Amino acid sequence: MARSKKSESGDARERLLQAAGRGFRTGGFGGIGVDGLAREAGLTSGAFYAHFGSKADAFRLAVVDGIKFLRGGVAAFRESHGRGWRDPFVDYYFGERMLVSLAEACALPSFTPDVARADDATRVAYQDELRLLLDEVAGGFGGSRASERAWALLSILSGAAGMARAVKDEKTRRDILASARAAAKAV
């Protein structure tokens, strides 16, 4: 589920989108400006505005891209593990994915607080992508309670990842992840 380095060296728009994702994950919407986002992509502010109408537009697109990336990861685990996809995915999410830098962290816990304060267009885009993610997860459960189980799993993953990244103490971090891993596997 790691992003390809090739996309980062691609066209200016893709570089800006990836830079926006990294910048907003590490600094939040209010913590980085257009100049910083452009610099992160190795471009100018003029290049930024040639591709995005505003910082809010770039944020919205970074949110959508990040949730699509997570949805692709779920789809890949479902494809490679079949009906038994959930437990390996949970192990990966609370294992390897928790070792990446904040700049590369999961979009769901990283962007959700800023989306809650964003404009309506961003909130609707987030909601639409979240529903597509829910459908992918629910499709891996099947049954009459598939959507309920999918909401529960996504909530556990996002909440625990956010809490684990926020604490300083390594034991507390491990305790959060171990408890959440058990809860996620019980969904």
Side-chain angles (χ1 to χ4, degrees), residues 1-24:
M1 245 177 59
R3 288 197 184 268
S4 128
K5 295 295 181 192
K6 181 180 177 187
S7 70
E8 292 179 31
S9 65
D11 70 350
R13 182 177 173 81
E14 183 63 22
R15 286 178 27 218
L16 281 163
L17 182 59
Q18 296 305 312
R22 290 188 305 272
F24 291 131

Side-chain angles (χ1 to χ4, degrees), residues 17-74:
L17 182 59
Q18 296 305 312
R22 290 188 305 272
F24 291 131
R25 278 179 180 90
T26 56
F29 182 80
I32 191 164
V34 169
D35 291 341
L37 294 171
R39 250 190 324 275
E40 174 77 20
L43 299 167
T44 66
S45 297
F48 176 92
Y49 285 114
H51 294 282
F52 303 112
S54 67
K55 178 178 153 183
D57 289 345
F59 178 65
R60 183 177 315 110
L61 291 170
V63 168
V64 167
D65 182 63
I67 296 175
K68 281 182 181 176
F69 181 72
L70 175 57
R71 189 175 73 221
V74 171

Side-chain angles (χ1 to χ4, degrees), residues 32-157:
I32 191 164
V34 169
D35 291 341
L37 294 171
R39 250 190 324 275
E40 174 77 20
L43 299 167
T44 66
S45 297
F48 176 92
Y49 285 114
H51 294 282
F52 303 112
S54 67
K55 178 178 153 183
D57 289 345
F59 178 65
R60 183 177 315 110
L61 291 170
V63 168
V64 167
D65 182 63
I67 296 175
K68 281 182 181 176
F69 181 72
L70 175 57
R71 189 175 73 221
V74 171
F77 269 82
R78 284 186 56 201
E79 184 177 320
S80 65
H81 295 281
R83 292 175 44 90
W85 72 275
R86 184 203 53 210
D87 289 0
F89 180 77
V90 167
D91 288 338
Y92 173 75
Y93 190 90
F94 287 140
E96 187 176 328
R97 286 300 297 164
M98 291 302 299
L99 300 176
V100 301
S101 71
L102 183 57
E104 301 300 325
C106 179
L108 207 52
S110 299
F111 292 146
T112 298
D114 281 327
V115 170
R117 294 182 288 273
D119 60 26
D120 287 346
T122 299
R123 294 180 73 197
V124 168
Y126 172 89
Q127 175 182 296
D128 291 347
E129 287 302 319
L130 191 59
R131 290 236 177 245
L132 292 172
L133 173 60
L134 176 81
D135 290 346
E136 184 66 45
V137 173
F141 286 131
S144 63
R145 296 183 50 231
S147 288
E148 180 182 323
R149 292 174 68 197
W151 281 127
L153 179 61
L154 291 172
S155 297
I156 291 166
L157 294 174

